[in-house]
């Protein structure tokens, strides 16, 4: 809901697309998971009780493969 087609409904400068991710210092799956665990303003926090590490890593891998 928050990232339709890789976009961002809250902050258009922070999309899931590679150029935007990298401009915001998010380059690896670990960076994506870290951002899910400790997000900035406006983003829902996904801690381990909500999204276990294995699932968080799967989401991160999906983002990297899908939004090049």
């Amino acid at each position: 809901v928050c990232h339709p087609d890789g976009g961002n409904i809250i902050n258009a400068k922070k999309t899931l697309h590679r150029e935007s991710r990298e401009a915001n210092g998010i380059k690896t799956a670990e960076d994506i998971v870290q951002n899910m665990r400790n997000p900035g303003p406006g983003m829902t926090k996904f801690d381990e009780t909500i999204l276990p590490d294995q699932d968080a890593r799967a989401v991160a891998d999906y983002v990297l493969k899908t939004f090049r």
Side-chain angles (χ1 to χ4, degrees):
V1 172
C2 297
H3 296 281
D5 297 319
N8 187 324
I9 64 168
I10 295 172
N11 186 342
K13 294 180 181 180
K14 293 187 174 184
T15 72
L16 299 180
H17 299 283
R18 180 174 41 182
E19 184 176 315
S20 177
R21 286 192 326 263
E22 290 183 357
N24 288 289
I26 300 172
K27 299 178 182 182
T28 67
E30 291 78 18
D31 293 337
I32 293 170
V33 172
Q34 179 66 25
N35 196 54
M36 288 190 291
R37 300 289 190 229
N38 298 295
M43 184 173 160
T44 301
K45 181 177 184 174
F46 295 96
D47 65 25
E48 295 86 357
T49 63
I50 294 171
L51 191 66
D53 287 337
Q54 185 176 358
D55 295 340
R57 179 59 190 240
V59 170
D61 289 340
Y62 171 81
V63 168
L64 291 174
K65 291 176 185 173
T66 304
F67 302 105
R68 299 174 184 229

